[in-house]
Amino acid sequence: AQSVAQPEDQVNVAEGNPLTVKCTYSVSGNPYLFWYVQYPNRGLQFLLKYITGDNLVKGSYGFEAEFNKSQTSFHLKKPSALVSDSALYFCAVIRATSGTYKYIFGTGTRLKVLA
Amino acid sequence: DVKVTQSSRYLVKRTGEKVFLECVQDMDHENMFWYRQDPGLGLRLIYFSYDVKMKEKGDIPEGYSVSREKKERFSLILESASTNQTSMYLCASSSRGEQYFGPGTRLTVT
């Protein structure tokens, strides 16, 4: 079965330090992987995606993610965290089904950046 | 910019009421989705639609139905609301690849 795991419920990091939010996946075939962010009282916003190509994917707001096939991981990273990055982050994978597709989301990781 | 709008931000309903949640997108996307979001459970797919009048069950369809009469509009219906349907409901649309989400409807069933 295809699945996504976010092993940390919360990540705390000091402002200016690098941050990593972890995601591992289990899919058959080539994975299509995504990161979304949810700011308080708002819907989810797309950050970045990996379909194919370079393992390092760059996205919005200075975020990037590294696809690692051998470790089946797609960790979200940022070199220098901002307080405004504090939000809920979701990793997702596409699952093909009956000629269309569905998303599977992780349970989310709350990032708290401390001033 | 893609815009996905939901009819209400907050809704309070009584047990047993029929509840309609509306979602409209303005980008001519074929695919539309309804999720519910609960703490610690992430987003769970209720129903999705890949074309007008087409629908498919997601992972937790029980107690819900949907309607898609026009391409831009996807409605979620709670036939008889129950307290365990108190949640945040998110609508999304996509063409291929990334999804675009509405702001969500926080539904409380008392």
Side-chain angles (χ1 to χ4, degrees):
Chain A
Q2 292 171 310
S3 64
V4 166
Q6 294 181 245
E8 302 155 317
D9 290 335
Q10 181 160 321
V11 170
N12 295 328
V13 63
E15 188 176 28
N17 282 2
L19 69 87
T20 299
V21 182
K22 295 180 180 176
C23 172
T24 59
Y25 65 90
S26 172
V27 301
S28 53
N30 294 323
Y32 292 178
L33 295 157
F34 300 79
W35 275 103
Y36 289 83
V37 60
Q38 186 178 37
Y39 297 104
N41 300 313
R42 295 175 68 175
L44 275 70
Q45 296 178 35
F46 167 75
L47 268 182
L48 50 81
K49 65 182 176 185
Y50 173 82
I51 303 297
T52 187
D54 286 342
N55 290 341
L56 187 63
V57 179
K58 293 191 184 296
S60 306
Y61 312 121
F63 284 93
E64 57 191 27
E66 186 170 11
F67 172 67
N68 187 315
K69 190 171 183 177
S70 62
Q71 297 186 2
T72 62
S73 67
F74 189 56
H75 300 332
L76 182 69
K77 300 182 180 187
K78 189 173 181 182
S80 178
L82 300 172
V83 172
S84 56
D85 292 330
S86 298
L88 188 55
Y89 291 80
F90 290 95
C91 183
V93 67
I94 279 180
R95 177 177 73 190
T97 173
S98 304
T100 182
Y101 62 90
K102 296 192 287 189
Y103 280 70
I104 302 171
F105 282 85
T107 52
T109 298
R110 189 165 299 280
L111 173 67
K112 197 168 183 179
V113 181
L114 308 168
Chain B
D1 277 352
V2 176
K3 196 160 185 184
V4 179
T5 56
Q6 295 183 229
S7 50
S8 305
R9 292 297 303 271
Y10 300 93
L11 210 52
V12 179
K13 295 292 181 180
R14 292 192 181 278
T15 301
E17 278 193 84
K18 191 167 186 175
V19 182
F20 293 87
L21 302 182
E22 300 277 321
C23 175
V24 177
Q25 52 98 0
D26 67 357
M27 281 303 291
D28 202 36
H29 285 165
E30 299 90 0
N31 302 298
M32 296 187 75
F33 305 79
W34 274 107
Y35 296 90
R36 62 178 283 175
Q37 180 181 4
D38 300 289
L41 298 177
L43 272 70
R44 294 180 291 167
L45 181 64
I46 304 171
Y47 268 97
F48 68 106
S49 168
Y50 51 89
D51 203 350
V52 176
K53 297 192 187 294
M54 305 300 288
K55 61 185 179 185
E56 285 209 20
K57 293 180 181 179
D59 300 315
I60 51 163
E62 297 79 18
Y64 303 94
S65 62
V66 290
S67 171
R68 192 163 180 204
E69 297 297 318
K70 293 185 178 182
K71 193 173 186 179
E72 68 270 18
R73 189 179 297 269
F74 191 34
S75 302
L76 179 69
I77 302 152
L78 286 65
E79 297 291 343
S80 177
S82 64
T83 55
N84 63 13
Q85 292 178 311
T86 290
S87 186
M88 170 70 85
Y89 290 87
L90 294 172
C91 174
S93 74
S94 73
S95 177
R96 58 172 65 91
E98 62 265 31
Q99 292 191 321
Y100 296 87
F101 284 83
T105 295
R106 185 166 294 282
L107 172 67
T108 302
V109 183
T110 62

